[in-house]
Amino acid sequence: MSEPKRIVSVSLGTSKRDKIHETEILGQRFLIERRGTDGDRSKFKALMEELDGQVAALGVGGADIWIATSKKKYAFREIVGLVSGVKKTPVVDGSGLKHTLERETIHRLQRDGTVDFRQERALLVSAVDRFGMAQALNELCPDVIYGDLLFGLGLPLPIKSYRTVEVLASMLAPIVTQLPLQWFYPTGSKQEERKPSHVKIWAGRTFLCGDWHYIRRYAPDDLSGKTVLTQTVRSADIEWLRSTGLRRLITTTPDMGGETFATNVMEGVIVALSGKGPAEMAESDYLDVLKELDWSPTVLELG
């Protein structure tokens, strides 16, 4: 029997969330690992380089390489530097899959009647790291708040139109991506901290979506009756959400071993299955594999 393809997500997040899982996907065995470096940049860079050429794909976890608008994408200079030593193995950050999987998730939830976005008041905690989700919400949901300024920059300014997101992103992204990521996004042990903020905005929303670390960090203790759509949760996260009174949790990535892996991991799996390089992947490549996987969002009723 052939050896499984090994996919490793190297994360700037806490090592407490590390796990390893072997599974079979479309007849191919995969060994999937998540390895946190507790925010240690040197350790992250060294581990990436150690694994270069040893695994089928490397994922960037706890950080993004890219943020994007519909017209252009921008790379975080700091993260590009951290992966610059990887020369042989494809490196992915989940952005390619996010923009297809999460857009399709919103449309599928509407089509199958799981969520009627015409009746929801949505909060997308950050649009620039998942513009596929932002565009789909803009198409289907008449009441969306985009939290990029609230949670990314700490400014008390909810954005209420996708057009404004596009304009601000085109102005600010070239600047923001030149600065240290930790100024905008929790890494290492900070991912474990809770700092509820803008509670009134959360209270007025019925559908909460986007990056899990932003949701967990900034959401209030009471999420009664609401729905959360995100990508990666662990058993402990589900128990915390249950304690908030959350009605329903939806995850975009498949359940494996009772938990879900991050989007960068799934993108690594799909890239490995395709045999293409990340830069060669088109939206149709991701959608074709998702169709073969008979993928659908995971819906968990909690309340």
Side-chain angles (χ1 to χ4, degrees):
M1 183 177 292
S2 61
E3 289 294 315
K5 289 184 182 294
R6 189 177 170 204
I7 310 294
V8 181
S9 172
V10 180
S11 176
L12 282 171
T14 175
S15 57
K16 292 178 182 177
R17 296 170 70 90
D18 284 0
K19 59 180 175 179
I20 183 168
H21 182 74
E22 184 168 345
T23 188
E24 184 172 307
I25 301 174
L26 299 180
Q28 174 67 57
R29 292 167 61 219
F30 282 91
L31 186 63
I32 297 171
E33 300 176 47
R34 189 267 188 197
R35 297 175 67 174
T37 56
D38 301 307
D40 185 328
R41 270 67 174 164
S42 297
K43 186 176 179 182
F44 178 99
K45 190 172 191 299
L47 186 53
M48 276 280 182
E49 292 173 8
E50 175 189 325
L51 292 168
D52 185 23
Q54 307 300 312
V55 301
L58 282 164
V60 174
D64 288 320
I65 297 176
W66 302 100
I67 58 175
T69 67
S70 60
K71 298 178 181 177
K72 193 173 180 180
K73 63 181 186 179
Y74 304 86
F76 276 100
R77 182 171 62 178
E78 177 188 21
I79 308 305
V80 170
L82 292 180
V83 302
S84 61
V86 179
K87 305 298 184 186
K88 301 174 184 174
T89 299
V91 177
V92 297
D93 72 340
S95 58
L97 182 57
K98 279 182 193 172
H99 303 327
T100 50
L101 175 77
E102 296 182 346
R103 186 196 312 276
E104 176 58 19
T105 296
I106 297 289
H107 283 285
R108 178 177 286 214
L109 292 172
Q110 180 71 42
R111 283 199 307 270
D112 67 15
T114 304
V115 179
D116 183 356
F117 286 97
R118 295 167 299 185
Q119 307 300 320
E120 299 285 349
R121 300 186 302 279
L123 169 62
L124 174 55
V125 290
S126 175
V128 293
D129 68 328
R130 33 196 15 106
F131 80 82
M133 181 180 286
Q135 289 180 325
L137 284 173
N138 181 50
E139 293 169 16
L140 298 177
C141 186
D143 187 351
V144 184
I145 288 179
Y146 305 91
D148 298 72
L149 297 180
L150 295 170
F151 309 115
L153 297 181
L155 302 174
L157 300 171
I159 303 172
K160 297 183 179 178
S161 85
Y162 181 69
R163 173 60 182 156
T164 303
V165 171
E166 290 271 37
V167 171
L168 288 174
S170 65
M171 295 170 56
L172 297 177
I175 302 169
V176 165
T177 49
Q178 300 306 302
L179 302 174
L181 180 70
Q182 65 190 25
W183 290 12
F184 318 102
Y185 191 77
T187 59
S189 61
K190 290 184 178 179
Q191 291 185 351
E192 302 299 306
E193 297 176 354
R194 291 258 302 125
K195 291 189 173 182
S197 63
H198 308 295
V199 172
K200 288 185 179 179
I201 290 175
W202 291 91
R205 303 285 101 188
T206 59
F207 190 89
L208 316 171
C209 54
D211 182 84
W212 169 244
H213 291 300
Y214 269 178
I215 293 174
R216 186 185 180 283
R217 183 176 178 86
Y218 296 116
D221 294 331
D222 184 0
L223 298 176
S224 299
K226 303 181 190 300
T227 295
V228 163
L229 168 65
T230 191
Q231 81 285 12
T232 311
V233 291
R234 311 295 295 275
S235 298
D237 300 324
I238 295 173
E239 289 311 306
W240 175 73
L241 286 170
R242 199 186 300 276
S243 75
T244 69
L246 190 81
R247 172 193 167 204
R248 181 170 53 184
L249 171 66
I250 304 172
T251 54
T252 56
T253 45
D255 181 297
M256 292 186 293
E259 296 184 343
T260 53
F261 281 88
T263 315
N264 72 84
V265 175
M266 292 311 302
E267 185 170 323
V269 169
I270 292 175
V271 167
L273 282 168
S274 75
K276 295 183 178 180
E280 301 172 280
M281 296 290 288
E283 285 194 13
S284 57
D285 293 315
Y286 294 111
L287 293 173
D288 286 347
V289 175
L290 290 172
K291 187 175 180 180
E292 285 190 72
L293 287 170
D294 194 23
W295 161 87
S296 64
T298 301
V299 180
L300 185 59
E301 299 289 344
L302 299 181

